[in-house]
Amino acid sequence: MGFVIRGAALAVVGLGLSGGVRAEPAAPPPVGAPPAAGASLPELSSAGGMRLADVVAVAVRQSPDLARARIDLATARAQLLAAQGSEDTHVGLRAAGAWQANPDTDPYGKYSASDLRLDASARRALSTGGTLSVTLTGERVHTVGTEPALNGALVDVSGPHRYQTSLVFELIQPLLRGAGSDAFEAPIHQAARQRDAAALAQEARARDLVVSLAQAYWQVAFAWRQLEVRKASLELAQKQLDYTEGAIRVEKIARSEALAVQQVIAVRRQDVIAGEQELYDRSIALRQLAGLEIGPDALELLTEGLPVKIDAPPIDLRSVVREAFAHSAELAGLEATRHAAEIGVAAADSAARSRLDLDVSGGPIGVDTTLGKATGDITSDTGYQVNAALTFDHAIEHRAERGGQQAAHAVLFAAEVAERDARARLATRAVRAVQRAQAALASIALGDEAIGLAEQNITAEQKRFELGKSTNFDVLRRQDELGQARLRHASSVADYLTARADLDGLSGAILARYGIVMP
């Protein structure tokens, strides 16, 4: 029981994963030398980073939610097995004895008798709702004593042992309530649908978990990228301050020019502190979701870096919605639940009928003074017995039956409402995921352009500053524009990856991607 993970590997189709987390800052420029305008952001190295596939593997093994789903599925399978027990063949053996002796003071004489009986039977339910049984009986009766005759005289009734054997076939068949294969097999079909629903609910929980893990993972990766962007911005400001102080020393610019840079450095240091806090928060949230260790030496989670480039084909919205409907485990589970409710309605309708049962039994009888002869008489000198009964029962108020029907129809209505609601939620989720993915792709393309233009603007602004036609305020503003462009680009990449995980969860492809096989 459980999930099987086969060859889990991180593979975002069409994405070349590169980037990382740490890079040593470049050596500061010589005093008085202008800073490198638009310094490139250090690539986030994925060396030592934990892959998303590894996070998924740990979470699948340790998730309490998936453990509960496995328990629910095991329970549903056990209930189906119990329901199938109605088709079992039963065999039985019964031995009974009776002894009687009246007291000597009885004015009607002394009398004693013994009766020993052995029954062997086999019984099986029929698909028509009836029951067929066969019973082989052997009985020994022995009587000793006297009893009064009609004239009042005591007559000796002592005799040899009397053996009787019989083979009885009995059929009990409902004609109204509970008649037919639909009524008889309803509990089995209902339990089978409930098992299917439990299995699909397990798959839906697995999909949701992996989607949540992927989204949380890429948010941690974005937090790393955000921290690096802010550190790079701080480094640029520090280099600008070094250049400014050098220019002030040679009396190239006014001393007041250093104030703007010092102010920006203080603000950017605050941004770095906030970025570190956000990284810790998102890392701990991911560790908690995945069941990873949390402790003094296990706080931030080193991830693989965000992709630098994303090459993805256009997404067709209608195709995504159709795929979501066709492959949704949640929707299929609710459909199975609805079918179970429909079977319950049919069973309740059958149970609401009046009871009319036919009971027919019969078979040969053998009687003699020895067991062997009595047994042989069954096939030779045959006696027989035939019994027939017809039982009718009808509740005048019919309250229990009507209540059962109303409850079954209420369950069916609730299942239909849940299924309609799930379809609407599924379509909404698919549309929003597609919109997020398309918007992110467009933003990524524009972000690449914005970063390039921001770097060119820094270079131009720096040259104007060197010529005395600009101020540190203008240079730092261009640096902020570059940092914001880089952050927007990274945010767009993370948004696309989270939307892509949602789309893969809707189609079910996310489980196959990480080698998760449902039991």
Side-chain angles (χ1 to χ4, degrees):
M1 188 77 61
F3 297 96
V4 181
I5 302 177
R6 297 177 181 166
L10 179 65
V12 181
V13 176
L15 306 184
L17 297 188
S18 62
V21 196
R22 303 237 180 262
E24 293 298 326
V31 175
S40 61
L41 183 67
E43 287 297 326
L44 298 180
S45 171
S46 61
M50 190 172 188
R51 301 183 309 153
L52 175 54
D54 298 330
V55 174
V56 170
V58 173
V60 165
R61 288 195 303 268
Q62 300 183 174
S63 169
D65 195 38
L66 294 188
R68 285 189 290 269
R70 289 193 289 269
I71 293 171
D72 291 343
L73 178 56
T75 301
R77 286 172 171 167
Q79 291 171 343
L80 173 59
L81 186 62
Q84 291 171 334
S86 62
E87 297 179 326
D88 290 348
T89 300
H90 294 260
V91 294
L93 192 65
R94 181 177 181 271
W99 294 267
Q100 179 184 348
N102 59 342
D104 294 339
T105 57
D106 190 340
Y108 294 101
K110 186 177 182 181
Y111 178 89
S112 65
S114 63
D115 187 352
L116 300 176
R117 181 185 177 110
L118 180 66
D119 295 330
S121 63
R123 172 175 54 86
R124 180 178 175 82
L126 303 176
S127 61
T128 59
T131 303
L132 178 63
S133 63
V134 57
T135 303
L136 176 63
T137 301
E139 184 178 17
R140 191 201 75 169
V141 179
H142 182 57
T143 303
V144 176
T146 58
E147 64 180 17
L150 293 177
N151 58 6
L154 295 177
V155 179
D156 186 8
V157 295
S158 301
H161 293 89
R162 178 178 180 271
Y163 290 90
Q164 176 176 315
T165 57
S166 63
L167 183 63
V168 179
F169 296 90
E170 182 178 25
L171 172 65
I172 301 175
Q173 176 59 52
L175 302 180
L176 292 177
R177 180 190 303 169
S181 59
D182 290 342
F184 172 73
E185 296 176 353
I188 299 175
H189 294 321
Q190 214 169 6
R193 293 294 186 179
Q194 290 167 349
R195 176 209 55 193
D196 295 341
L200 290 164
Q202 182 190 36
E203 180 178 346
R205 290 188 193 181
R207 290 188 190 184
D208 290 343
L209 174 64
V210 178
V211 168
S212 298
L213 287 169
Q215 293 177 339
Y217 182 92
W218 293 122
Q219 288 304 313
V220 174
F222 170 71
W224 278 113
R225 172 62 70 176
Q226 177 179 249
L227 181 59
E228 292 298 334
V229 168
R230 290 177 176 178
K231 286 183 176 180
S233 295
L234 176 60
E235 184 182 347
L236 280 176
Q238 187 62 56
K239 290 178 180 179
Q240 185 67 22
L241 179 61
D242 293 339
Y243 171 76
T244 300
E245 289 176 344
I248 291 172
R249 283 195 295 270
V250 297
E251 299 181 352
K252 185 177 180 180
I253 59 176
R255 185 171 297 276
S256 60
E257 285 291 336
L259 296 177
V261 187
Q262 291 169 346
Q263 177 190 352
V264 168
I265 287 176
V267 172
R268 292 183 184 180
R269 282 176 177 168
Q270 289 178 322
D271 290 341
V272 169
I273 293 172
E276 290 174 343
Q277 183 61 46
E278 187 171 355
L279 174 61
Y280 280 123
D281 289 344
R282 294 188 179 185
S283 295
I284 291 174
L286 176 57
R287 284 182 177 274
Q288 191 170 18
L289 179 63
L292 297 171
E293 180 186 358
I294 301 176
D297 299 323
L299 294 175
E300 73 275 14
L301 181 69
L302 186 60
T303 65
E304 293 189 319
L306 290 175
V308 176
K309 297 290 184 182
I310 291 182
D311 298 319
I315 303 174
D316 182 67
L317 176 58
R318 288 178 174 77
S319 297
V320 169
V321 175
R322 281 194 296 269
E323 286 291 308
F325 283 166
H327 298 98
S328 170
E330 179 189 8
L331 200 59
L334 290 172
E335 183 179 358
T337 300
R338 175 174 56 80
H339 288 320
E342 291 172 346
I343 295 170
V345 168
D349 291 341
S350 176
R353 300 173 186 167
S354 299
R355 178 189 172 199
L356 183 62
D357 293 348
L358 174 64
D359 186 348
V360 179
S361 64
I365 299 176
V367 179
D368 214 311
T369 57
T370 65
L371 179 60
K373 291 180 180 180
T375 304
D377 287 348
I378 292 180
T379 57
S380 57
D381 189 10
T382 307
Y384 66 90
Q385 60 176 329
V386 176
N387 301 288
L390 197 61
T391 304
F392 176 78
D393 179 74
H394 177 77
I396 296 177
E397 292 82 3
H398 217 56
R399 287 176 291 193
E401 292 80 359
R402 286 188 288 112
Q405 286 178 299
Q406 292 172 6
H409 280 280
V411 171
L412 175 58
F413 181 67
E416 291 172 343
V417 170
E419 189 175 0
R420 287 197 302 270
D421 180 59
R423 291 180 71 87
R425 285 188 290 103
L426 194 63
T428 302
R429 179 180 167 187
V431 170
R432 288 176 176 172
V434 170
Q435 289 175 336
R436 288 199 309 270
Q438 290 176 333
L441 286 173
S443 182
I444 290 169
L446 294 172
D448 289 333
E449 181 180 355
I451 290 173
L453 292 173
E455 290 174 345
Q456 294 177 32
N457 285 334
I458 289 180
T459 302
E461 199 68 49
Q462 185 66 47
K463 289 181 179 179
R464 286 196 294 271
F465 177 75
E466 294 171 11
L467 296 174
K469 297 180 180 180
S470 180
T471 64
N472 265 332
F473 177 81
D474 296 318
V475 174
L476 294 170
R477 180 166 57 86
R478 294 300 187 185
Q479 291 179 2
D480 285 336
E481 291 172 355
L482 175 60
Q484 290 302 317
R486 286 172 169 172
L487 287 178
R488 282 193 294 271
H489 180 271
S491 178
S492 298
V493 172
D495 286 345
Y496 173 79
L497 294 174
T498 55
R500 183 73 259 176
D502 203 6
L503 290 172
D504 289 343
L506 290 171
S507 68
I510 198 163
L511 297 183
R513 173 166 296 171
Y514 297 105
I516 300 174
V517 179
M518 307 306 297

